[in-house]
Amino acid sequence: MQYVNLEEIQLIEIPKITAPDGRGNLSVVEKDVLPYQIKRVYYLYDVPSDSTRGGHAHRELQQFLIAVSGSFSVVLDNGKDRKTFLLNRPNKGLLIPSGVWRELENFSAGAVCLSLVSEEYDEEDYIREYADFKSVKRS
Ligand code: T46
């Protein structure tokens, strides 16, 4: 599994179209925003503020997370370093490459985490034990 430089991971701006007549905003994720074709969409909601989601890495799956409502934090870990991102805008997303451990925490009331991913669901793609993740990273 390749080394991932966390410094190269940044929030990505999603184009926003503001209605000129005060009817609000529309953001669109088109093919030039992501380096993969979206194969699956899922979303987390009604997450208690003291709960943590994630707590795993993916072998192949790439993922784009958006706080379409509310806010939450994403802690990324490449096996060596950790970096925390606050997602709190519906027009900013976090592109997570494969091979990165992630934990989602501090969900605000009403937060919705939208996830646009590169693969179909496959439990074999998950590394759910941190010790296993560390040993895969070392090898
Ligand atoms: C991720 C974070 C942000 C399915 O049956 N189909 C699916 O497409 C998904 C995503 C999950 N599931 C089942 C598997 C588990 O029995 O739903 C249950 C909860 O999944 P999990 O424990 O993986 O949930 P999270 O919130 O910890 O992780 C999910 C995604 O699995 C993961 O890719 O990065 O959201």
Side-chain angles (χ1 to χ4, degrees):
M1 201 177 264
Q2 272 193 325
Y3 172 75
V4 175
N5 184 353
L6 295 182
E7 292 311 314
E8 290 175 3
I9 300 181
Q10 304 291 341
L11 291 177
I12 294 175
E13 190 100 15
I14 306 166
K16 178 166 83 172
I17 302 164
T18 301
D21 53 3
R23 287 181 301 129
N25 300 321
L26 181 157
S27 280
V28 53
V29 180
E30 288 184 293
K31 64 173 190 273
D32 54 349
V33 174
L34 300 180
Y36 56 84
Q37 281 205 324
I38 298 165
K39 290 212 180 132
R40 186 162 48 107
V41 174
Y42 54 86
Y43 41 98
L44 304 172
Y45 55 99
D46 291 347
V47 181
S49 59
D50 58 353
S51 288
T52 300
R53 303 297 303 235
H56 56 251
H58 285 282
R59 297 175 195 277
E60 299 292 339
L61 180 141
Q62 301 173 69
Q63 161 172 61
F64 192 55
L65 298 180
I66 307 164
V68 290
S69 179
S71 65
F72 53 88
S73 298
V74 183
V75 182
L76 297 184
D77 179 331
N78 63 3
K80 210 168 149 224
D81 307 305
R82 289 195 150 212
K83 189 171 173 184
T84 302
F85 297 85
L86 175 65
L87 272 70
N88 62 358
R89 295 295 306 153
N91 67 324
K92 289 204 171 164
L94 183 65
L95 181 60
I96 308 178
S98 56
V100 177
W101 186 268
R102 85 288 313 274
E103 285 165 17
L104 283 66
E105 57 192 26
N106 297 327
F107 282 80
S108 71
V112 179
C113 169
L114 180 67
S115 183
L116 313 176
V117 305
S118 64
E119 309 295 331
E120 290 170 10
Y121 179 67
D122 177 9
E123 190 57 39
E124 295 293 305
D125 190 61
Y126 286 75
I127 304 173
R128 291 194 183 268
E129 294 296 331
Y130 190 72
D132 295 343
F133 171 68
K134 289 286 276 183
S135 84
V136 169
K137 281 296 193 185
R138 271 195 300 270
S139 63

